[in-house]
Amino acid sequence: MGGAPSTPRNTGGDDVSLAEYLIATFVGEKSFPLASDFWNKLLELPLSSRWPSDRVHQACELFAQSNGYTRHLAKLLIHLSWCLQELLQASDAQTSIYKKAVNATYIASVFLKHLIENGKSDSLQDLHLSLDGSEPVPHGFVMDQDIQNFVMHSVLSFIGAAEVSPNSYVLHQELLNFMLVTMSTQLLSGPSPAPIDANPFIDAAMAQEKSLVCLAVTRLLLNYISRHRTPTNAKPYLYSDGDSPGILERVGSAAATFVLLPLNYLVNSSGDGSKNPLAESSLHVLLILINYHKSIMSDESMTDKSDDSATSESVSKAHVFSSGNTFSKALANARDVEFDRSDVEGNAHPGPHVRIPFASLFDTLGMCLADEGAVLLLYSLLQGNSDFKEYVLVRTDMDTMLMPILETLYNASRRTSSNQIYMMLIVLLILSQDSSFNSSIHKMILPSVPWYKEHLLHQTSLGSLMVIILIRTVQHNLSKLRDVYLQTNCLATLANMAPHAHHLSAYASQRLVSLFYMLSRKYNKLSDLTGDKLQSIKIRLSGEDDGVSEDLAAELQIFTDFLRLVLDILNAILTYALPRNPEVVYAIMHRQEVFQPFKNHPRFHELVENIYTVLDFFNSRMDSQRSDREWSVQKVLQFIINSCRSWRGEGMKMFTQLHFSYEQESHPEEFFIPYVWQLAFSRCGFNFNPDAINLFPVSHQIEKQIEAGRGEEEEGKEKLQELSDQRIVFDP
């Protein structure tokens, strides 16, 4: 490897051969200084150039061998930064600079992606994100600055400051793809972030000043809200299939190994996200950023002198702690542009903040909640941003957000992923923690629910529908998934709603009693099996237990807790809301025999006692009526409504009102980081070498999605990993 000329020589005389020569030179062994005119010529290539993917792979292999000497990746990233800075400083859009920025972004994405997914070291030293000490640099360029920090500052500055327009759309899309590529270093690490994990570009993004982070988060949210359609002038570049006749196919030069490819070499535009690719990419970039976790290891030497007889020795103890996530904090502090609470309360909050239209964000989420990414964004806002949560809770059109969630849960057995079911149930649990929410959903009447097929739901309240869907989810889980956490989540939400029930529909009331009956049958069956197993062990007089009885006992305890929780739900309705729920009383009276086996049961009798107090009250009044009276359904219901007026709750035992709250564990990233990246793969079709992925099992998720497409796999039949990031807390 000798000296490098300042600029390449044009050997062909036309644009085709010049393009081939420039790209072949870029991946070759000759190093070109930053100030060389080579970079201008390279970045001014036509955006319409198309090249086969096999040539791209060959070029990447050559580049991986030469980059350590040429440092062309670092130089390309510097030129990308300069182009973006120049665009921001220009008073008007300059086509030539715009084209150079797009080319620099795309070329950098392709080669950087290859180096990341095929790197030989965990420290990512193969990227060579630095310049050689002898490298001549232009005046004003700081030689020892971190190139990843330099480029991330420029990328985030452009994303945050530049408006999305038909002329800038392609560059915005390419920069988001570039962000995905730079952050894909997370795929090389395990699901639990460790201090040794190398994520230089994400760390650089986290190190940016607060004002820049707020601008970037604002733009990503606005992109998601606006849902820009791909401009017509951008489609030939973004959506070419890459198979049309191009320069390489016509010339076939041995030197021609790579030039620009269509977008779908990096991002498969055939995925569901292609309808609004900028919105989808913005969402996934934001989700990856806000869920990033950086573990830092610190060592401290401690001398243990507690034992005088022992020799003093220095013990090195490693402490792992996490650094703050500036993007997560920015999202948590986002405020409504239409109403800033600090202005009203007079509490000034220094520094920049994310300001977005909450109304538009609410409507967009309601429109997109069938998508897992939208559910994750909603969860992040409700969990972390108190202003947005308050805004959601005061909306009078709660059906905008709840109906898509309930419909998705209704169809959960078909194609909804287990992760998505969990996140939706957590959203409902978070909302149910607010008493005003529990009251308001019963006041909204739905004329019809056409997607609910098992029963005609006419003039049903939103609260009744929510009860129906939660019970249906519990019943589906009992027969199919058998997941304890899902079960507990559903019942916890129902328990929060119970004291505020208002005119629960006949169908919802029937389903509630049927749920008790289903759980009671399962409990009785397990109780009998457990008793038989213990008896058989005693007969065998064996000191060795095969573990079956222990498993049965554990499952019996689970169903004991479930059954008590359903009885608590019924008790809460009867204790705090009986006059407002005659249909619940009717459903209990209609199937009062299902409670009989538990009337004197030592584990349930105190909860069943209240139910029989209610039954005795209404049964005695019915018996006092003329014995020859014919009791139709309507007459019984009307009798209950009339009798409710004289109900005073005498003889009812007052139990502590149940209240469950959702609490995030201390290491939520162990669940969310792999989950978000799986979404990036499935929704945006982001391709990555499966052999290099350590973040999650590839064969289980990605290969199926690549081959069969999004949603075809039967995820509902598979057992979800334990969610270590989620916890339901009972507040006594």
Side-chain angles (χ1 to χ4, degrees):
M1 296 183 183
S6 60
T7 184
R9 181 170 56 89
N10 183 357
T11 61
D14 57 20
D15 292 339
V16 173
S17 57
L18 175 61
E20 293 182 356
Y21 179 79
L22 289 171
I23 296 301
T25 305
F26 174 73
V27 302
E29 297 180 347
K30 292 187 180 296
S31 176
F32 291 89
L34 275 172
S36 171
D37 191 49
F38 163 75
W39 298 103
N40 285 329
K41 294 182 180 296
L42 174 69
L43 300 182
E44 288 173 353
L45 290 171
L47 294 180
S48 58
S49 299
R50 296 291 179 264
W51 309 90
S53 59
D54 59 335
R55 294 290 184 92
V56 178
H57 181 73
Q58 180 185 3
C60 289
E61 293 289 341
L62 293 173
F63 185 79
Q65 299 172 20
S66 63
N67 181 54
Y69 168 74
T70 65
R71 304 299 171 99
H72 277 180
L73 175 62
K75 296 171 187 177
L76 181 61
L77 293 177
I78 293 172
H79 276 278
L80 167 59
S81 301
W82 286 343
C83 289
L84 295 176
Q85 293 173 4
E86 193 171 352
L87 282 174
L88 287 176
Q89 296 169 1
S91 57
D92 56 346
Q94 299 186 31
T95 305
S96 60
I97 303 176
Y98 171 81
K99 182 170 67 173
K100 288 170 62 177
V102 172
N103 279 343
T105 306
Y106 195 81
I107 295 174
S109 297
V110 171
F111 286 109
L112 182 58
K113 173 178 172 293
H114 179 85
L115 293 176
I116 290 174
E117 63 186 344
N118 294 283
K120 300 299 188 293
S121 66
D122 296 335
S123 61
L124 298 176
Q125 296 177 353
D126 296 339
L127 300 181
H128 298 290
L129 297 174
S130 62
L131 297 179
D132 188 270
S134 60
E135 175 75 29
V137 295
H139 177 72
F141 181 78
V142 181
M143 187 67 179
D144 60 351
Q145 66 180 312
D146 290 333
I147 292 177
Q148 60 266 31
N149 184 75
F150 185 57
V151 70
M152 291 306 287
H153 179 86
S154 299
V155 170
L156 291 173
S157 295
F158 184 87
I159 290 175
E163 295 286 339
V164 177
S165 67
N167 291 329
S168 67
Y169 181 94
V170 170
L171 180 53
H172 273 279
Q173 180 67 66
E174 289 296 342
L175 287 173
L176 292 174
N177 292 335
F178 174 79
M179 289 284 292
L180 285 173
V181 169
T182 62
M183 295 187 296
S184 66
T185 52
Q186 284 190 295
L187 296 168
L188 309 180
S189 306
S192 299
I196 61 173
D197 295 341
N199 298 294
F201 290 96
I202 315 183
D203 290 339
M206 295 295 154
Q208 302 304 313
E209 59 270 21
K210 181 181 178 181
S211 58
L212 178 55
V213 170
C214 289
L215 282 174
V217 172
T218 300
R219 174 61 57 199
L220 293 173
L221 287 171
L222 291 177
N223 286 349
Y224 183 68
I225 293 170
S226 302
R227 313 195 72 73
H228 302 279
R229 290 288 181 177
T230 306
T232 304
N233 62 341
K235 289 182 179 179
Y237 175 67
L238 292 175
Y239 294 115
S240 169
D241 60 10
D243 295 326
S244 56
I247 298 173
L248 289 181
E249 292 177 336
R250 287 187 278 110
V251 178
S253 168
T257 51
F258 170 78
V259 82
L260 294 180
L261 283 179
L263 177 68
N264 59 10
Y265 177 73
L266 285 176
V267 179
N268 183 3
S269 61
S270 64
D272 294 338
S274 62
K275 296 177 182 178
N276 298 103
L278 191 69
E280 296 297 331
S281 297
S282 297
L283 174 62
H284 290 105
V285 167
L286 178 62
L287 290 174
I288 291 170
L289 286 169
I290 65 175
N291 286 290
Y292 178 63
H293 176 91
K294 175 69 173 179
S295 295
I296 300 175
M297 183 79 74
S298 67
D299 294 329
E300 65 178 40
S301 295
M302 301 179 61
T303 302
D304 187 359
K305 299 180 179 179
S306 58
D307 186 356
D308 295 336
S309 63
T311 304
S312 298
E313 58 179 323
S314 181
V315 181
S316 178
K317 292 191 176 182
H319 295 269
V320 178
F321 60 95
S322 58
S323 59
N325 185 315
T326 54
F327 287 85
S328 177
K329 292 177 182 177
L331 184 67
N333 293 319
R335 297 177 185 165
D336 190 358
V337 293
E338 302 297 332
F339 178 79
D340 191 343
R341 188 172 62 182
S342 67
D343 295 338
V344 176
E345 298 178 352
N347 299 322
H349 295 272
H353 286 86
V354 173
R355 297 180 184 273
I356 53 174
F358 278 5
S360 300
L361 180 57
F362 180 92
D363 293 339
T364 301
L365 287 170
M367 180 177 61
C368 302
L369 279 176
D371 170 55
E372 294 181 73
V375 178
L376 272 178
L377 178 59
L378 174 59
Y379 163 81
S380 300
L381 289 165
L382 292 176
Q383 172 66 15
N385 190 308
S386 58
D387 281 12
F388 185 78
K389 181 180 177 180
E390 289 179 16
Y391 175 84
V392 169
L393 291 172
V394 300
R395 287 281 296 226
T396 57
D397 58 341
M398 191 61 70
D399 58 319
T400 300
M401 187 166 287
L402 288 184
M403 289 299 283
I405 293 178
L406 297 178
E407 183 177 1
T408 304
L409 290 175
Y410 174 78
N411 294 314
S413 60
R414 300 179 186 177
R415 54 177 294 176
T416 309
S417 73
S418 298
N419 286 355
Q420 186 175 5
I421 296 173
Y422 278 103
M423 296 313 302
M424 286 184 164
L425 291 175
I426 291 171
V427 165
L428 295 181
L429 177 60
I430 292 174
L431 293 173
S432 73
Q433 294 169 196
D434 185 81
S435 58
S436 64
F437 166 83
N438 293 324
S439 299
S440 63
I441 57 176
H442 290 284
K443 298 174 182 177
M444 179 170 291
I445 304 301
L446 307 170
S448 63
V449 186
W451 44 263
Y452 195 92
K453 304 301 182 183
E454 285 83 355
H455 187 85
L456 179 62
L457 299 180
H458 180 67
Q459 295 296 316
T460 299
S461 71
L462 182 59
S464 293
L465 178 62
M466 188 167 164
V467 170
I468 292 168
I469 296 301
L470 286 172
I471 292 174
R472 188 178 187 275
T473 304
V474 170
Q475 292 172 331
H476 170 70
N477 181 59
L478 282 174
S479 61
K480 302 290 184 181
L481 303 178
R482 300 172 61 81
D483 190 282
V484 174
Y485 184 83
L486 185 150
Q487 203 87 332
T488 305
N489 209 329
C490 290
L491 294 177
T493 304
L494 287 170
N496 286 346
M497 296 171 60
H500 310 278
H502 188 84
H503 290 295
L504 209 60
S505 71
Y507 185 61
S509 303
Q510 293 166 15
R511 302 312 299 158
L512 193 55
V513 176
S514 295
L515 175 61
F516 173 82
Y517 179 59
M518 174 183 286
L519 289 170
S520 68
R521 290 181 60 189
K522 184 66 175 177
Y523 171 84
N524 289 330
K525 182 178 180 180
L526 285 170
S527 183
D528 293 341
L529 286 174
T530 305
D532 292 343
K533 184 64 182 177
L534 290 175
Q535 186 64 28
S536 99
I537 293 174
K538 291 178 181 178
I539 292 174
R540 283 183 291 146
L541 298 177
S542 172
E544 297 181 1
D545 190 354
D546 58 7
V548 176
S549 61
E550 184 177 344
D551 293 340
L552 286 174
E555 191 171 3
L556 178 63
Q557 182 58 51
I558 290 172
F559 275 89
T560 301
D561 295 339
F562 287 161
L563 204 54
R564 286 187 60 88
L565 194 47
V566 174
L567 286 172
D568 276 319
I569 292 168
L570 290 170
N571 263 275
I573 296 175
L574 297 177
T575 304
Y576 299 101
L578 185 147
R580 304 192 304 269
N581 293 281
E583 292 287 4
V584 176
V585 176
Y586 179 89
I588 291 174
M589 292 182 67
H590 181 65
R591 305 211 44 197
Q592 55 189 287
E593 73 280 356
V594 304
F595 301 98
Q596 182 62 39
F598 301 92
K599 189 173 183 179
N600 299 312
H601 197 291
R603 295 184 179 180
F604 306 105
H605 71 90
E606 78 280 5
L607 292 170
V608 177
E609 188 174 342
N610 273 351
I611 294 177
Y612 271 92
T613 298
V614 173
L615 286 172
D616 292 343
F617 176 85
F618 287 94
N619 284 334
S620 63
R621 277 159 178 72
M622 285 189 68
D623 292 342
S624 66
Q625 301 294 317
R626 293 176 56 183
S627 59
D628 58 347
R629 183 175 180 180
E630 295 183 1
W631 291 98
S632 66
V633 173
Q634 290 302 321
K635 287 181 179 179
V636 172
L637 184 59
Q638 187 59 50
F639 170 80
I640 292 173
I641 294 174
N642 294 335
S643 299
C644 281
R645 297 169 185 168
S646 57
W647 168 259
R648 298 294 180 267
E650 297 176 358
M652 296 286 284
K653 286 187 177 180
M654 300 299 291
F655 295 101
T656 302
Q657 185 171 319
L658 295 183
H659 185 78
F660 293 89
S661 61
Y662 169 76
E663 183 176 297
Q664 195 177 67
E665 283 285 0
S666 57
H667 296 288
E669 68 280 352
E670 294 178 4
F671 168 74
F672 284 103
I673 291 176
Y675 184 23
V676 169
W677 272 107
Q678 290 175 50
L679 289 184
F681 275 86
S682 62
R683 298 295 295 175
C684 291
F686 185 84
N687 297 321
F688 199 87
N689 178 13
D691 295 333
I693 297 176
N694 297 313
L695 186 61
F696 49 82
V698 178
S699 59
H700 172 66
Q701 293 285 342
I702 301 307
E703 291 180 354
K704 286 185 178 181
Q705 292 168 355
I706 292 174
E707 296 174 3
R710 170 78 182 113
E712 294 299 324
E713 65 274 10
E714 299 180 3
E715 294 175 298
K717 295 182 180 179
E718 299 173 357
K719 197 74 169 64
L720 182 68
Q721 63 183 14
E722 180 181 356
L723 299 184
S724 61
D725 65 300
Q726 299 168 13
R727 181 168 62 195
I728 298 176
V729 178
F730 169 57
D731 299 331

mmCIF file of all heavy atoms in Angstrom, residues 621-623 625-637 639-640:
data_model
loop_
_atom_site.group_PDB
_atom_site.id
_atom_site.type_symbol
_atom_site.label_atom_id
_atom_site.label_comp_id
_atom_site.label_asym_id
_atom_site.label_seq_id
_atom_site.Cartn_x
_atom_site.Cartn_y
_atom_site.Cartn_z
ATOM 1 N N ARG A 621 -87.687 -11.638 49.326
ATOM 2 C CA ARG A 621 -88.687 -10.718 48.795
ATOM 3 C C ARG A 621 -89.468 -11.335 47.631
ATOM 4 O O ARG A 621 -90.655 -11.055 47.458
ATOM 5 C CB ARG A 621 -88.024 -9.405 48.381
ATOM 6 C CG ARG A 621 -87.834 -8.472 49.581
ATOM 7 C CD ARG A 621 -86.769 -7.422 49.354
ATOM 8 N NE ARG A 621 -86.680 -6.533 50.520
ATOM 9 C CZ ARG A 621 -86.166 -6.883 51.687
ATOM 10 N NH1 ARG A 621 -85.713 -8.114 51.854
ATOM 11 N NH2 ARG A 621 -86.141 -6.031 52.698
ATOM 12 N N MET A 622 -88.797 -12.153 46.854
ATOM 13 C CA MET A 622 -89.515 -12.853 45.791
ATOM 14 C C MET A 622 -90.483 -13.878 46.384
ATOM 15 O O MET A 622 -91.611 -14.045 45.893
ATOM 16 C CB MET A 622 -88.531 -13.549 44.849
ATOM 17 C CG MET A 622 -87.801 -12.611 43.911
ATOM 18 S SD MET A 622 -86.863 -13.496 42.655
ATOM 19 C CE MET A 622 -88.188 -14.206 41.696
ATOM 20 N N ASP A 623 -90.045 -14.569 47.433
ATOM 21 C CA ASP A 623 -90.911 -15.572 48.063
ATOM 22 C C ASP A 623 -92.140 -14.927 48.691
ATOM 23 O O ASP A 623 -93.191 -15.578 48.826
ATOM 24 C CB ASP A 623 -90.129 -16.337 49.137
ATOM 25 C CG ASP A 623 -89.040 -17.204 48.532
ATOM 26 O OD1 ASP A 623 -89.117 -17.481 47.320
ATOM 27 O OD2 ASP A 623 -88.087 -17.573 49.261
ATOM 28 N N GLN A 625 -93.891 -12.646 47.462
ATOM 29 C CA GLN A 625 -94.878 -12.346 46.430
ATOM 30 C C GLN A 625 -95.841 -13.533 46.292
ATOM 31 O O GLN A 625 -95.603 -14.626 46.777
ATOM 32 C CB GLN A 625 -94.168 -12.090 45.088
ATOM 33 C CG GLN A 625 -93.171 -10.940 45.133
ATOM 34 C CD GLN A 625 -93.830 -9.598 45.364
ATOM 35 O OE1 GLN A 625 -94.880 -9.304 44.769
ATOM 36 N NE2 GLN A 625 -93.232 -8.797 46.238
ATOM 37 N N ARG A 626 -96.916 -13.304 45.579
ATOM 38 C CA ARG A 626 -97.909 -14.373 45.370
ATOM 39 C C ARG A 626 -97.257 -15.578 44.700
ATOM 40 O O ARG A 626 -96.579 -15.454 43.697
ATOM 41 C CB ARG A 626 -99.051 -13.858 44.511
ATOM 42 C CG ARG A 626 -99.897 -12.784 45.222
ATOM 43 C CD ARG A 626 -100.969 -12.238 44.298
ATOM 44 N NE ARG A 626 -101.806 -13.312 43.787
ATOM 45 C CZ ARG A 626 -102.793 -13.120 42.902
ATOM 46 N NH1 ARG A 626 -103.054 -11.906 42.440
ATOM 47 N NH2 ARG A 626 -103.522 -14.140 42.487
ATOM 48 N N SER A 627 -97.500 -16.746 45.241
ATOM 49 C CA SER A 627 -96.846 -17.960 44.754
ATOM 50 C C SER A 627 -97.283 -18.359 43.357
ATOM 51 O O SER A 627 -96.583 -19.089 42.671
ATOM 52 C CB SER A 627 -97.097 -19.129 45.723
ATOM 53 O OG SER A 627 -98.494 -19.357 45.846
ATOM 54 N N ASP A 628 -98.498 -17.922 42.941
ATOM 55 C CA ASP A 628 -98.974 -18.320 41.626
ATOM 56 C C ASP A 628 -98.499 -17.370 40.530
ATOM 57 O O ASP A 628 -98.903 -17.493 39.377
ATOM 58 C CB ASP A 628 -100.510 -18.391 41.616
ATOM 59 C CG ASP A 628 -101.133 -17.037 41.997
ATOM 60 O OD1 ASP A 628 -100.386 -16.156 42.503
ATOM 61 O OD2 ASP A 628 -102.344 -16.888 41.784
ATOM 62 N N ARG A 629 -97.660 -16.433 40.885
ATOM 63 C CA ARG A 629 -97.174 -15.460 39.897
ATOM 64 C C ARG A 629 -96.144 -16.114 38.980
ATOM 65 O O ARG A 629 -95.272 -16.864 39.415
ATOM 66 C CB ARG A 629 -96.531 -14.276 40.629
ATOM 67 C CG ARG A 629 -96.043 -13.167 39.690
ATOM 68 C CD ARG A 629 -95.530 -11.981 40.508
ATOM 69 N NE ARG A 629 -95.063 -10.918 39.644
ATOM 70 C CZ ARG A 629 -94.572 -9.762 40.080
ATOM 71 N NH1 ARG A 629 -94.516 -9.547 41.391
ATOM 72 N NH2 ARG A 629 -94.173 -8.843 39.239
ATOM 73 N N GLU A 630 -96.272 -15.835 37.672
ATOM 74 C CA GLU A 630 -95.311 -16.350 36.700
ATOM 75 C C GLU A 630 -94.163 -15.354 36.564
ATOM 76 O O GLU A 630 -94.384 -14.183 36.249
ATOM 77 C CB GLU A 630 -95.990 -16.580 35.341
ATOM 78 C CG GLU A 630 -97.046 -17.666 35.367
ATOM 79 C CD GLU A 630 -97.641 -17.893 33.983
ATOM 80 O OE1 GLU A 630 -97.189 -17.212 33.031
ATOM 81 O OE2 GLU A 630 -98.529 -18.748 33.857
ATOM 82 N N TRP A 631 -92.937 -15.861 36.768
ATOM 83 C CA TRP A 631 -91.767 -14.991 36.747
ATOM 84 C C TRP A 631 -91.043 -15.105 35.396
ATOM 85 O O TRP A 631 -90.332 -16.061 35.142
ATOM 86 C CB TRP A 631 -90.804 -15.362 37.870
ATOM 87 C CG TRP A 631 -91.320 -15.045 39.243
ATOM 88 C CD1 TRP A 631 -91.917 -15.898 40.114
ATOM 89 C CD2 TRP A 631 -91.299 -13.771 39.869
ATOM 90 N NE1 TRP A 631 -92.275 -15.250 41.270
ATOM 91 C CE2 TRP A 631 -91.902 -13.929 41.152
ATOM 92 C CE3 TRP A 631 -90.850 -12.498 39.492
ATOM 93 C CZ2 TRP A 631 -92.053 -12.873 42.042
ATOM 94 C CZ3 TRP A 631 -90.994 -11.455 40.393
ATOM 95 C CH2 TRP A 631 -91.591 -11.634 41.648
ATOM 96 N N SER A 632 -91.259 -14.135 34.559
ATOM 97 C CA SER A 632 -90.489 -14.052 33.318
ATOM 98 C C SER A 632 -89.170 -13.330 33.607
ATOM 99 O O SER A 632 -88.976 -12.753 34.687
ATOM 100 C CB SER A 632 -91.264 -13.287 32.250
ATOM 101 O OG SER A 632 -91.435 -11.932 32.630
ATOM 102 N N VAL A 633 -88.265 -13.373 32.617
ATOM 103 C CA VAL A 633 -86.973 -12.704 32.784
ATOM 104 C C VAL A 633 -87.174 -11.220 33.050
ATOM 105 O O VAL A 633 -86.567 -10.636 33.963
ATOM 106 C CB VAL A 633 -86.096 -12.911 31.530
ATOM 107 C CG1 VAL A 633 -84.826 -12.066 31.628
ATOM 108 C CG2 VAL A 633 -85.743 -14.381 31.354
ATOM 109 N N GLN A 634 -88.022 -10.602 32.279
ATOM 110 C CA GLN A 634 -88.248 -9.170 32.432
ATOM 111 C C GLN A 634 -88.882 -8.842 33.782
ATOM 112 O O GLN A 634 -88.546 -7.837 34.402
ATOM 113 C CB GLN A 634 -89.121 -8.658 31.280
ATOM 114 C CG GLN A 634 -88.426 -8.635 29.929
ATOM 115 C CD GLN A 634 -87.168 -7.779 29.944
ATOM 116 O OE1 GLN A 634 -87.132 -6.719 30.562
ATOM 117 N NE2 GLN A 634 -86.127 -8.270 29.270
ATOM 118 N N LYS A 635 -89.803 -9.702 34.238
ATOM 119 C CA LYS A 635 -90.449 -9.448 35.523
ATOM 120 C C LYS A 635 -89.465 -9.592 36.681
ATOM 121 O O LYS A 635 -89.487 -8.811 37.636
ATOM 122 C CB LYS A 635 -91.632 -10.395 35.701
ATOM 123 C CG LYS A 635 -92.831 -10.050 34.820
ATOM 124 C CD LYS A 635 -93.982 -11.010 35.065
ATOM 125 C CE LYS A 635 -95.191 -10.658 34.194
ATOM 126 N NZ LYS A 635 -96.327 -11.592 34.407
ATOM 127 N N VAL A 636 -88.602 -10.615 36.586
ATOM 128 C CA VAL A 636 -87.596 -10.795 37.633
ATOM 129 C C VAL A 636 -86.647 -9.598 37.662
ATOM 130 O O VAL A 636 -86.308 -9.065 38.731
ATOM 131 C CB VAL A 636 -86.809 -12.099 37.423
ATOM 132 C CG1 VAL A 636 -85.637 -12.180 38.401
ATOM 133 C CG2 VAL A 636 -87.712 -13.303 37.576
ATOM 134 N N LEU A 637 -86.214 -9.168 36.487
ATOM 135 C CA LEU A 637 -85.289 -8.039 36.423
ATOM 136 C C LEU A 637 -85.933 -6.770 36.965
ATOM 137 O O LEU A 637 -85.298 -6.016 37.716
ATOM 138 C CB LEU A 637 -84.810 -7.826 34.981
ATOM 139 C CG LEU A 637 -83.756 -6.735 34.786
ATOM 140 C CD1 LEU A 637 -82.506 -7.031 35.601
ATOM 141 C CD2 LEU A 637 -83.396 -6.596 33.305
ATOM 142 N N PHE A 639 -88.339 -6.665 39.110
ATOM 143 C CA PHE A 639 -88.455 -6.858 40.561
ATOM 144 C C PHE A 639 -87.134 -6.521 41.257
ATOM 145 O O PHE A 639 -87.114 -5.870 42.316
ATOM 146 C CB PHE A 639 -88.857 -8.302 40.860
ATOM 147 C CG PHE A 639 -88.769 -8.660 42.307
ATOM 148 C CD1 PHE A 639 -89.781 -8.306 43.192
ATOM 149 C CD2 PHE A 639 -87.653 -9.331 42.810
ATOM 150 C CE1 PHE A 639 -89.684 -8.627 44.543
ATOM 151 C CE2 PHE A 639 -87.562 -9.652 44.147
ATOM 152 C CZ PHE A 639 -88.585 -9.299 45.019
ATOM 153 N N ILE A 640 -86.009 -6.936 40.664
ATOM 154 C CA ILE A 640 -84.693 -6.647 41.248
ATOM 155 C C ILE A 640 -84.439 -5.143 41.245
ATOM 156 O O ILE A 640 -83.950 -4.580 42.238
ATOM 157 C CB ILE A 640 -83.590 -7.397 40.473
ATOM 158 C CG1 ILE A 640 -83.715 -8.900 40.703
ATOM 159 C CG2 ILE A 640 -82.206 -6.912 40.886
ATOM 160 C CD1 ILE A 640 -82.771 -9.740 39.855
#
